């Protein structure tokens, strides 16, 4: 625990809200919604209104979606009752009555979602990497395909690069805390990995293993193959451009080549 005195306004391991820290350090819902709209405009020539967010967690993207347009609706699906309660509180606090009425959160397994078909399904922050066998991944993608309206689109993200195969830590400083991404275990034979998120605070206190991800590090070619085998008719990869220092510049384009860099995040748009 902490070993330095706590100054006014400081958060500590005792007072921190891990879901709040997760949103601040991991998520950028504005950019994610921009990407959804860009992909739809470029590939379908229109934008959707009804979407489903699988693995919705804190509902950051769902909240941004209903803020963007008064016609937008979203069904958020997650298995974890704790995070869904946190999300519903946040929705009730942050949004207008009209916006609240256009978000529905359900506690269900994404493998069997009991809901009407939608135009667009999202699976972000690599959550489907939790399906470690190829047949499980294919079952999930096939379920999403079945749950989409004709001409609908499935948008998901992926990460990789040479660093993703290493057991290593990466720290980033935020206002009042440090975020630590810990690639703790990598099995090059099975592709199984264990990643943790830890948080550290100015008084020296820490929340170790605030989040744990036991995943298989799927490659982009594998993901595209399984999407096509699951019935999707068209699969495109959005790759990020680079700025002068070699970092991502936030400009996403459909690409067939990419770049063999140390770390990358890509988006995949799969059309029914
Ligand atoms: C990595 S978090 C992603 C949260 C959010 N989508 C984001 O972009 O940051 C994964 C979430 O998926 C949920 N989850 C894992 N397996 C699931 C399943 N089979 N069905 C529904 N939710 C699941 C977890 O409870 C957790 O909230």
């Amino acid at each position: 625990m902490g070993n330095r005195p706590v100054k006014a306004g400081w958060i500590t391991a005792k007072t921190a809200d891990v879901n709040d820290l997760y949103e601040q350090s991991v998520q950028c819902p504005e950019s994610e919604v921009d990407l959804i709209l860009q992909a739809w405009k470029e590939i379908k020539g229109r934008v959707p209104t009804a979407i489903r967010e699988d693995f919705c967690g804190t509902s950051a993207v769902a909240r941004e979606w209903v803020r963007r347009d008064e016609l937008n609706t979203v069904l958020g699906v997650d298995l974890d009752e704790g995070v869904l309660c946190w999300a519903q509180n946040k929705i009730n606090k942050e949004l207008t009555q009209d916006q609240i009425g256009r978000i529905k959160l359900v506690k269900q397994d994404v493998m069997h979602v009991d809901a009407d078909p939608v135009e667009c399904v999202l699976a972000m922050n690599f959550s489907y990497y939790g399906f470690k066998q190829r047949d499980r991944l294919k079952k999930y993608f096939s379920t999403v395909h079945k749950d989409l309206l004709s001409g609908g689109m499935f948008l998901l993200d992926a990460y990789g690069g040479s660093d993703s195969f290493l057991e290593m830590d990466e720290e980033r400083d935020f206002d009042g805390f440090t975020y630590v991404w810990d690639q703790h275990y990598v099995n090059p034979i099975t592709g199984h990995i264990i990643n943790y998120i830890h948080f550290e605070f100015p008084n020296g206190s820490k929340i170790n293993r605030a989040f744990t991800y036991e995943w298989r590090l799927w490659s982009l070619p594998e993901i595209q193959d399984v999407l096509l085998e699951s019935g999707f008719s068209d699969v495109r990869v959005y790759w990020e451009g680079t700025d002068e220092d070699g970092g991502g510049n936030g400009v996403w384009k459909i690409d067939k080549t990419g770049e063999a860099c140390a770390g990358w995040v890509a988006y995949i748009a799969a059309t029914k």
Side-chain angles (χ1 to χ4, degrees):
M1 271 301 161
N3 44 24
R4 285 194 285 279
V6 179
K7 291 193 186 158
W10 273 10
I11 43 171
T12 68
K14 270 196 184 147
T15 61
D17 174 338
V18 287
N19 288 316
D20 187 38
L21 302 184
Y22 176 89
E23 284 203 348
Q24 288 186 55
S25 50
V26 176
Q27 296 196 280
C28 186
E30 297 83 4
S31 321
E32 222 145 77
V33 169
D34 285 347
L35 195 278
I36 300 168
L37 298 174
Q38 179 189 341
W40 268 82
K41 282 183 201 149
E42 287 175 357
I43 297 169
K44 309 283 289 158
R46 65 184 186 88
V47 292
T49 53
I51 69 167
R52 185 176 104 196
E53 189 190 3
D54 282 356
F55 313 100
C56 68
T58 63
S59 78
V61 176
R63 277 177 271 140
E64 179 63 17
W65 184 250
V66 297
R67 279 195 193 103
R68 282 293 172 104
D69 192 292
E70 60 188 19
L71 293 179
N72 284 354
T73 61
V74 53
L75 176 71
V77 182
D78 202 288
L79 265 182
D80 179 349
E81 191 157 356
V83 79
L84 288 176
C85 280
W86 188 95
Q88 193 61 56
N89 277 334
K90 189 88 172 166
I91 289 167
N92 296 345
K93 259 191 227 149
E94 271 190 5
L95 300 184
T96 66
Q97 277 308 312
D98 172 64
Q99 291 164 344
I100 294 171
R102 289 184 282 112
I103 300 189
K104 187 177 173 199
L105 302 181
V106 291
K107 184 185 164 212
Q108 286 184 24
D109 188 331
V110 297
M111 283 288 193
H112 318 275
V113 180
D114 181 16
D116 291 335
V118 280
E119 295 176 287
C120 182
V121 173
L122 312 178
M124 295 301 178
N125 254 317
F126 330 114
S127 310
Y128 65 94
Y129 283 20
F131 301 130
K132 296 185 203 127
Q133 285 81 33
R134 203 177 192 282
D135 60 341
R136 294 276 295 158
L137 188 67
K138 186 169 170 186
K139 183 166 186 289
Y140 171 56
F141 288 173
S142 303
T143 303
V144 172
H145 183 268
K146 171 178 74 58
D147 293 348
L148 280 171
L149 289 166
S150 166
M153 195 189 283
F154 180 31
L155 281 159
L156 50 167
D157 58 5
Y159 81 96
S162 50
D163 278 356
S164 65
F165 296 103
L166 301 179
E167 291 170 349
M168 58 180 271
D169 287 2
E170 186 186 282
E171 290 191 3
R172 276 191 290 136
D173 286 329
F174 288 85
D175 190 16
F177 69 98
T178 300
Y179 158 95
V180 184
W181 174 248
D182 175 5
Q183 294 180 178
H184 193 73
Y185 171 79
V186 177
N187 181 328
I189 295 181
T190 61
H192 291 174
I193 55 176
I194 302 177
N195 296 329
Y196 298 113
I197 294 175
H198 316 290
F199 296 111
E200 298 174 357
F201 303 93
N203 73 330
S205 62
K206 294 177 183 180
I207 303 178
N208 273 320
R209 303 186 178 179
F211 296 94
T212 299
Y213 303 108
E214 295 196 25
W215 285 340
R216 170 156 168 190
L217 187 58
W218 290 101
S219 73
L220 264 182
E222 286 171 312
I223 297 162
Q224 293 172 86
D225 285 350
V226 179
L227 284 165
L228 290 168
E229 286 169 27
S230 307
F232 288 93
S233 59
D234 179 76
V235 177
R236 319 252 179 131
V237 173
Y238 276 86
W239 197 263
E240 192 178 13
T242 38
D243 62 21
E244 289 151 7
D245 306 324
N249 65 0
V251 180
W252 298 89
K253 290 197 176 135
I254 293 172
D255 196 358
K256 290 201 158 135
T257 312
E259 196 193 330
C261 49
W264 51 258
V265 170
Y267 287 97
I268 305 157
T271 305
K272 182 163 178 171

